[in-house]
Amino acid sequence: MCGIIGYTGKKDALDFLLDSMELLEYRGYDSAGIALTEERSADNSSQETKGVPRIMKCTGRVSELRKLCHEEKLSGSCGIGHTRWSTHGKVTVENAHPHRFGRVTLVHNGIIENAPALIEKYDLEGRLVSETDSEVAAAVLDHFYRKDPLEAIRKMTLKLKGTFGFAILFEDIPGKIFSVRNVSPIVVAGTEEAKILSSDVAAIVPFTNRYFVIPELSVAVLSKEDIELYDMAGEAVEIDWLTVDWDIHHSDKGGYPFYMEKEIMEQPRVIGETINAYVKEGKPDFGKEGIQDEILADCKRICIIACGTALHAGLVAKSLIQAMIGIHVDVVMASEFMYNDPVVDKETLVLAISQSGETIDTLEALKFARSCGSPTIAIVNVKGSSIAMAAEHVIYTLAGMEIAVASTKAYTTQLAVLYLLTARMALARKLWPQEKLGEYMKELLRVPEVIEGILARKEEIHHLADTMLNARDVFMIGRGLDYSILLEGSLKLKEVSYIHSEAYASGELKHGTIALITEETPVIAVVTQDKLKDKELSNIREVQARGAKVILLIKEEKEEQCENYWKIFYLPVMQDEFMVMPTSVVLQLIAYYVSADKGLDVDKPRNLAKVVTVE
Ligand code: AGP
């Protein structure tokens, strides 16, 4: 999940590459590097040099690289850049990209699984300066390069096993960038000024809104004048252009200290926009997405595949669909899906949920499900992404660009789509009279304003966060939907504050984990489901009896049961099944404030990346 950028054009490439790399840093930020060619002459015309690249790279953030490049007065009108999330090889300058071998310089996103075999086959032992699989790929490409770049790229890709997205410079072809991919995403765009490529749309948005995704195993050739696309046989391929529908001005922090806060605050708007995009005459409608009622009416069961936060959205969908539709729903970690002999067939509707649309675990699971004959619907935030393209149907969330590694608005817009899909399924199966649908839709359409009310109380929530700043462990307990809500809340706290947190089904606690509850252990308890309230309150008393300090999130109408709590936050009242999104926003803010008050880099937590394109 590294960030890749390339530029060839009329202006100097340096600042464009560095600025874009900063936009892509959320994909990986343990080291960064850049390669520039074509020194500019004094009269600012492009002087074709040998195309020998000047390479600058460092560990740490792009800001460090920027300093080095300006100190060294790096310049050139054609170049590639890379921000790294290390997979092969430690975080060192040598392992940072770009990698140069012979006449080839490249940056890479993905994993070459047969790198050791290639080292042996091409006698590379002792000839490499890094520990990376990417440098091995550069060596293999250089091995095949005999003045025909397309032929060399074709031969190289035939030897590689694994995933890759490459941006490549050849020394004797100055001014041109070549790119080929397999699974790892690469998008390309062009204007009169320049032609650019990137590992994701975030770096395209400030430059232009028209782009295309390089089809797998096709080769894009970017020159100052043109963009060409070829298949592996060297035949020209038609370009399928897409348009970014994000507002370019949304790609900055909007005055907030971190993207995460901005994106939390955007939720009422983007949830409303997502709902309205798929409601027609008061009913959920996915006709524009080609999703006919038969697909929702005929399936005998549903299997949801996703990772992380998207998986947690799937758990909420399971509760909704099983309760309202009465069919069985499995929710499976995409990374486990194929390795547990999944029983999916043409009667199983498979939903793949993903913000980035590039999570390879989810993508590979989706492809497997399709191979089993299952109808598939992807719920994705990034238009034209691999998962969107791999599914039979796709429903886009309209969260806009989500930059913070910790997913917030993507999660709640995924939920918005899942609430709508559940209602559409009920209609398709003729389960709901018009009146019930009307009540359901009315409550769903209230969610944005209810969340507005939560956001208006953010200082109150900030005080809840104060209680956890120095905690070593934080437990979160609830049952049913409350448990699903807390699984997501716990992930948020873990990934941005580094505090060990565990969400626990509160009824399960007494079967072992309660042994970990000691005096002063902070426990967040969520009570929003009437049918589970008494049992949840009883489980809370069990941890209180062992000294836990309980922070209770409960519907404001339940005040009578609330005593002996460390802190209480009264949640606005919605029908039980709609309490998920407002409550999740409270937990998002708690995690955000704990991280920010600990002085951490909220948007780029250690060891993480926004898009996980390695298995
Ligand atoms: C969420 O806060 C995490 N950053 C992570 O769990 C994420 O949800 C997961 O990697 C799935 O990503 P996707 O939605 O882009 O597929």
Side-chain angles (χ1 to χ4, degrees):
M1 47 277 223
C2 307
I4 287 178
I5 191 75
Y7 174 104
T8 183
K10 297 176 179 170
K11 296 181 179 173
D12 191 280
L14 179 63
D15 285 337
F16 171 84
L17 291 174
L18 292 168
D19 295 348
S20 302
M21 287 159 73
E22 281 185 340
L23 268 181
L24 293 174
E25 247 184 335
Y26 72 118
R27 296 176 60 92
Y29 32 87
D30 55 42
S31 51
I34 209 165
L36 275 177
T37 66
E38 282 186 295
E39 299 302 314
R40 306 198 66 75
S41 60
D43 66 1
N44 211 26
S45 65
S46 167
Q47 190 182 22
E48 301 302 357
T49 64
K50 291 190 299 302
V52 176
R54 289 188 66 195
I55 296 176
M56 188 64 72
K57 45 191 188 179
C58 69
T59 57
R61 296 295 168 86
V62 175
S63 52
E64 297 303 313
L65 182 68
R66 189 185 292 272
K67 282 186 210 139
L68 289 171
C69 291
H70 285 148
E71 281 163 12
E72 295 297 317
K73 297 187 173 44
L74 227 63
S75 76
S77 60
C78 177
I80 54 179
H82 185 272
T83 60
R84 184 171 182 242
W85 187 86
S86 55
T87 51
H88 278 67
K90 295 186 287 294
V91 178
T92 63
V93 176
E94 293 73 24
N95 289 339
H97 302 208
H99 291 288
R100 184 174 170 208
F101 195 101
R103 295 147 301 171
V104 168
T105 300
L106 61 75
V107 291
H108 168 228
N109 178 22
I111 288 188
I112 306 302
E113 294 170 359
N114 63 329
L118 295 169
I119 289 172
E120 193 174 337
K121 180 178 178 61
Y122 294 100
D123 189 24
L124 298 175
E125 202 62 59
R127 299 167 60 200
L128 302 168
V129 298
S130 80
E131 305 161 301
T132 67
D133 53 343
S134 311
E135 188 187 8
V136 173
V140 172
L141 181 55
D142 184 65
H143 170 83
F144 287 116
Y145 182 48
R146 303 275 184 285
K147 302 292 182 195
D148 181 344
L150 295 185
E151 180 62 9
I153 291 170
R154 186 181 68 79
K155 287 180 176 175
M156 169 192 71
T157 53
L158 288 173
K159 298 297 181 190
L160 302 184
K161 289 194 179 72
T163 61
F164 50 84
F166 291 116
I168 304 161
L169 301 173
F170 292 93
E171 276 182 17
D172 53 354
I173 313 178
K176 285 194 177 184
I177 304 172
F178 296 77
S179 183
V180 65
R181 63 176 281 258
N182 177 42
V183 180
S184 299
I186 298 264
V187 293
V188 176
T191 65
E192 180 54 33
E193 177 211 320
K195 310 297 182 280
I196 65 173
L197 62 79
S198 171
S199 44
D200 83 30
V201 177
I204 301 283
V205 168
F207 188 74
T208 179
N209 66 354
R210 190 165 172 267
Y211 70 102
F212 72 91
V213 181
I214 300 179
E216 288 192 329
L217 298 181
S218 293
V219 182
V221 183
L222 284 67
S223 63
K224 296 182 189 308
E225 306 73 30
D226 203 1
I227 298 170
E228 300 157 82
L229 190 61
Y230 298 94
D231 63 17
M232 278 292 140
E235 297 298 319
V237 175
E238 180 120 5
I239 292 176
D240 180 12
W241 290 98
L242 296 169
T243 304
V244 179
D245 49 9
W246 289 329
D247 177 343
I248 285 181
H249 305 299
H250 286 164
S251 61
D252 60 35
K253 290 182 191 164
Y256 292 98
F258 294 103
Y259 279 108
M260 186 176 175
E261 183 173 359
K262 171 180 174 257
E263 290 157 6
I264 289 173
M265 302 306 282
E266 285 178 334
Q267 290 181 109
R269 174 175 60 79
V270 297
I271 292 169
E273 288 170 0
T274 299
I275 294 170
N276 293 332
Y278 299 111
V279 171
K280 198 165 135 190
E281 293 160 12
K283 294 179 184 172
D285 186 305
F286 299 102
K288 286 198 313 313
E289 285 59 43
I291 299 172
Q292 303 307 319
D293 277 355
E294 288 70 32
I295 195 174
L296 303 177
D298 298 348
C299 63
K300 295 283 186 294
R301 64 195 145 285
I302 291 174
C303 180
I304 298 174
I305 49 179
C307 302
T309 291
L311 182 75
H312 299 150
L315 290 171
V316 174
K318 172 184 172 74
S319 297
L320 291 175
I321 294 168
Q322 290 191 168
M324 297 178 179
I325 309 299
I327 60 172
H328 181 74
V329 180
D330 276 320
V331 182
V332 183
M333 282 177 199
S335 55
E336 289 289 308
F337 178 71
M338 289 187 288
Y339 311 107
N340 283 297
D341 308 309
V343 180
V344 290
D345 55 21
K346 64 181 188 317
E347 293 182 329
T348 310
L349 171 59
V350 170
L351 303 181
I353 307 175
S354 173
Q355 186 285 130
S356 63
E358 299 298 346
T359 299
I360 192 165
D361 289 326
T362 308
L363 177 63
E364 294 306 307
L366 171 62
K367 288 176 180 175
F368 180 85
R370 283 206 75 170
S371 72
C372 298
S374 295
T376 55
I377 298 175
I379 297 171
V380 171
N381 196 40
V382 179
K383 213 177 200 179
S385 54
S386 301
I387 290 170
M389 311 301 268
E392 194 180 345
H393 303 287
V394 57
I395 302 172
Y396 286 112
T397 50
L398 305 185
M401 209 185 314
E402 186 176 72
I403 302 288
V405 166
S407 188
T408 51
K409 61 178 184 173
Y411 168 68
T412 47
T413 52
Q414 285 161 3
L415 289 176
V417 167
L418 290 163
Y419 276 82
L420 290 167
L421 200 58
T422 302
R424 187 72 213 184
M425 191 173 284
L427 285 179
R429 292 168 177 255
K430 301 181 177 31
L431 295 174
W432 286 1
Q434 180 52 40
E435 187 191 344
K436 171 145 176 82
L437 174 74
E439 283 169 18
Y440 182 94
M441 292 303 294
K442 185 167 168 241
E443 193 69 348
L444 179 59
L445 288 164
R446 275 187 62 215
V447 166
E449 69 175 296
V450 170
I451 291 177
E452 286 287 10
I454 295 275
L455 296 175
R457 298 167 61 189
K458 65 181 190 178
E459 283 319 309
E460 186 184 346
I461 295 166
H462 197 159
H463 290 310
L464 298 181
D466 294 346
T467 59
M468 276 163 266
L469 277 186
N470 303 311
R472 188 172 63 89
D473 301 297
V474 173
F475 282 80
M476 301 190 183
I477 62 172
R479 288 176 178 239
L481 264 180
D482 292 337
Y483 174 47
S484 300
I485 291 168
L486 288 165
L487 282 168
E488 172 54 17
S490 173
L491 174 61
K492 285 284 103 38
L493 185 65
K494 276 182 275 203
E495 64 177 332
V496 296
S497 76
Y498 313 150
I499 292 174
H500 168 251
S501 164
E502 256 185 89
Y504 238 85
S506 49
E508 180 64 10
L509 209 59
K510 56 188 174 296
H511 298 286
T513 307
I514 199 166
L516 297 176
I517 301 290
T518 60
E519 282 294 322
E520 307 292 300
T521 304
V523 174
I524 296 179
V526 166
V527 179
T528 68
Q529 306 297 302
D530 287 346
K531 67 184 180 186
L532 297 169
K533 172 176 60 65
D534 293 340
K535 284 190 167 39
E536 288 180 313
L537 291 173
S538 161
N539 295 143
I540 291 168
R541 284 190 282 275
E542 287 161 11
V543 296
Q544 282 176 314
R546 285 149 182 88
K549 298 174 77 170
V550 175
I551 298 148
L552 178 65
L553 309 186
I554 190 167
K555 275 188 188 177
E556 59 202 9
E557 65 192 6
K558 306 291 177 206
E559 292 177 41
E560 71 283 1
Q561 280 103 359
C562 299
E563 71 283 332
N564 309 326
Y565 289 94
W566 191 20
K567 296 269 185 180
I568 295 181
F569 184 86
Y570 292 112
L571 295 160
V573 177
M574 296 196 80
Q575 288 170 24
D576 285 6
E577 63 271 22
F578 289 93
M579 288 300 296
V580 179
M581 286 185 259
T583 310
S584 299
V585 171
V586 178
L587 294 163
Q588 291 169 356
L589 282 170
I590 288 174
Y592 168 75
Y593 285 124
V594 172
S595 177
D597 290 353
K598 289 180 75 170
L600 300 171
D601 185 341
V602 180
D603 289 335
K604 300 189 190 84
R606 68 187 181 205
N607 306 339
L608 292 178
K610 182 65 178 174
V611 185
V612 182
T613 53
V614 292
E615 282 188 284

